[in-house]
């Protein structure tokens, strides 16, 4: 009963308008006064932040802060897949019969997550996935998990439900309902998908290679799938985007392509650049 009431409250809340208001405030110079409170509230380590605190113009500027290069070394082994973000694994496992695990006892559809893109649904079915949650205290830039080419991108408009532990527990199919931007990557471990999921108070999701992608627009926007005439090449660890306030990323892998190098279970903390998987090789390679 309590769960049902919470769902109804969130359903009728003006989540998109709220998120735009938060985004506007975070960009206003007055929000700079909130930065010390934000740092204290979330116990943010300033020793690894690239710029001095005095240089940040507003709260958003601090939120998307860069880190010192030495703070996040990149695992150099070309057979290694790195975490694209700082965060906490909420789920990981097999994509079984076109479904992924959202939480204990709750699953959701791969087809719905990908906007019913049958081609990619067939590619990833039977493969592996990992879902990484970024809390408000985390570093929010998104980096390339492997060296490869971004060939296609899909923007899927949707809801902006919270993606924290509570949201994941009470909203079935959450990641396939929320707004998301999906980058498709061709790499040494086959095809991959880097799914960036929006959430309540996420002002926007940005990708560095396509400035025309605008999330949570004021005017209604339809799904937008792009095949780039010239694919974008990135080295492992290169920045490819960012969240303007916290959210979640999901990595999808084709079958028989990777093996985990970490304990890929709920609650495992990861940092950008850390090895999370190794590319499978056939005998004789």
């Amino acid at each position: 009963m309590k769960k049902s009431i919470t769902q109804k409250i969130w359903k009728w809340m003006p989540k998109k308008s709220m998120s735009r208001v938060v985004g506007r405030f975070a960009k206003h110079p007055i929000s700079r006064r909130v930065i010390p409170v934000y740092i204290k509230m979330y116990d943010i380590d300033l020793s690894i932040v690239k710029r001095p605190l005095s240089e940040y113009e507003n709260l958003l500027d601090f939120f998307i802060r860069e880190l010192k290069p030495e703070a996040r070394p990149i695992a150099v082994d070309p057979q290694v897949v790195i975490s694209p973000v700082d965060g906490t694994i909420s789920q990981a496992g097999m994509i079984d019969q076109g479904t992924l695990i959202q939480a204990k006892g709750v699953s959701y559809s791969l087809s719905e997550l990908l906007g019913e893109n049958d081609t990619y649904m067939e590619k990833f079915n039977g493969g592996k996935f990992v879902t990484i949650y970024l809390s408000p205290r985390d570093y929010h830039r998104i980096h390339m998990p492997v060296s490869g080419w971004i060939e296609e991108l899909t923007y899927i408009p949707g809801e902006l439900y919270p993606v924290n532990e509570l949201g994941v527990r009470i909203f079935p199919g959450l990641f396939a309902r929320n707004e998301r931007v999906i980058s498709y990557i061709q790499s040494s471990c086959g095809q991959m998908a880097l799914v960036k999921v929006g959430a309540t108070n996420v002002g926007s999701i940005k990708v560095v290679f396509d400035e025309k992608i605008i999330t949570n627009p004021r005017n209604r926007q339809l799904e937008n799938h792009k095949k780039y005439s010239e694919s974008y090449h990135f080295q492992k660890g290169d920045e490819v985007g960012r969240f303007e306030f916290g959210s979640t990323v999901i990595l999808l892998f084709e079958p028989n392509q990777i093996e985990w190098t970490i304990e890929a279970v709920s609650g495992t903390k990861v940092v950008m650049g850390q090895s999370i998987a190794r590319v499978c090789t056939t005998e004789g390679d």
Side-chain angles (χ1 to χ4, degrees):
M1 182 67 177
K2 191 173 180 180
K3 178 178 176 180
S4 176
I5 292 172
T6 304
Q7 286 175 331
K8 288 179 180 179
I9 291 172
W10 273 102
K11 180 179 180 180
W12 295 110
M13 285 178 67
K15 298 177 289 297
K16 293 186 179 183
S17 297
M18 286 169 46
S19 298
R20 284 191 287 267
V21 168
V22 170
R24 284 197 297 271
F25 169 75
K27 293 175 184 177
H28 194 281
I30 199 171
S31 69
R32 189 176 183 280
R33 299 178 183 179
V34 179
I35 294 175
V37 178
Y38 188 88
I39 292 168
K40 186 174 181 179
M41 181 181 297
Y42 293 108
D43 191 25
I44 293 171
D45 181 4
L46 295 180
S47 68
I48 60 173
V49 176
K50 186 175 181 179
R51 294 156 55 194
L53 205 56
S54 59
E55 292 187 6
Y56 292 99
E57 297 179 358
N58 51 50
L59 179 59
L60 178 60
D61 191 24
F62 178 74
F63 187 83
I64 59 172
R65 61 195 176 275
E66 295 177 277
L67 302 183
K68 296 175 182 177
E70 63 270 22
R72 294 292 181 267
I74 308 298
V76 295
D77 186 337
Q79 297 299 107
V80 159
V81 180
I82 64 168
S83 175
V85 293
D86 286 11
T88 303
I89 293 177
S90 56
Q91 290 294 332
M94 298 291 296
I95 303 170
D96 185 20
Q97 297 183 14
T99 61
L100 299 84
I101 299 170
Q102 176 175 305
K104 186 176 181 179
V106 180
S107 61
Y108 64 101
S109 160
L110 173 64
S111 177
E112 291 177 353
L113 176 69
L114 300 180
E116 299 182 0
N117 186 321
D118 292 340
T119 299
Y120 281 107
M121 185 184 74
E122 291 175 7
K123 283 181 179 290
F124 295 122
N125 191 30
K128 293 182 179 179
F129 78 96
V130 59
T131 304
I132 305 173
Y133 167 68
L134 290 76
S135 75
R137 77 185 299 267
D138 287 318
Y139 169 66
H140 275 76
R141 293 181 181 246
I142 306 164
H143 296 253
M144 198 74 162
V146 291
S147 294
W149 291 262
I150 295 180
E151 303 177 320
E152 300 181 46
L153 177 145
T154 303
Y155 164 64
I156 304 175
E159 298 290 343
L160 289 176
Y161 289 113
V163 294
N164 55 19
E165 186 177 351
L166 175 64
V168 168
R169 196 169 63 246
I170 68 174
F171 295 112
L174 172 66
F175 301 128
R177 296 166 70 179
N178 273 14
E179 180 179 58
R180 51 209 181 275
V181 176
I182 307 169
S183 301
Y184 293 102
I185 304 167
Q186 183 61 45
S187 73
S188 61
C189 59
Q191 198 83 43
M192 293 176 56
L194 175 57
V195 184
K196 298 161 283 291
V197 184
T200 309
N201 293 336
V202 175
S204 62
I205 303 169
K206 302 287 189 184
V207 292
V208 300
F209 53 89
D210 191 340
E211 295 181 354
K212 293 181 180 179
I213 299 299
I214 299 173
T215 60
N216 191 18
R218 182 173 295 278
N219 298 319
R220 186 172 181 270
Q221 188 170 331
L222 300 176
E223 180 176 326
N224 185 4
H225 183 80
K226 293 187 174 186
K227 286 188 176 182
Y228 297 108
S229 56
E230 294 186 15
S231 56
Y232 296 93
H233 184 262
F234 292 91
Q235 296 294 334
K236 179 168 61 176
D238 286 350
E239 183 182 335
V240 292
R242 66 179 184 268
F243 288 116
E244 296 185 349
F245 285 89
S247 198
T248 289
V249 299
I250 304 169
L251 284 178
L252 306 178
F253 302 91
E254 290 184 279
N256 307 314
Q257 290 294 327
I258 60 105
E259 294 293 341
W260 304 119
T261 57
I262 57 170
E263 191 175 8
V265 297
S266 178
T268 298
K269 294 187 179 300
V270 294
V271 295
M272 194 284 291
Q274 171 186 350
S275 169
I276 60 171
R278 175 170 288 276
V279 179
C280 296
T281 56
T282 58
E283 290 188 21
D285 282 358

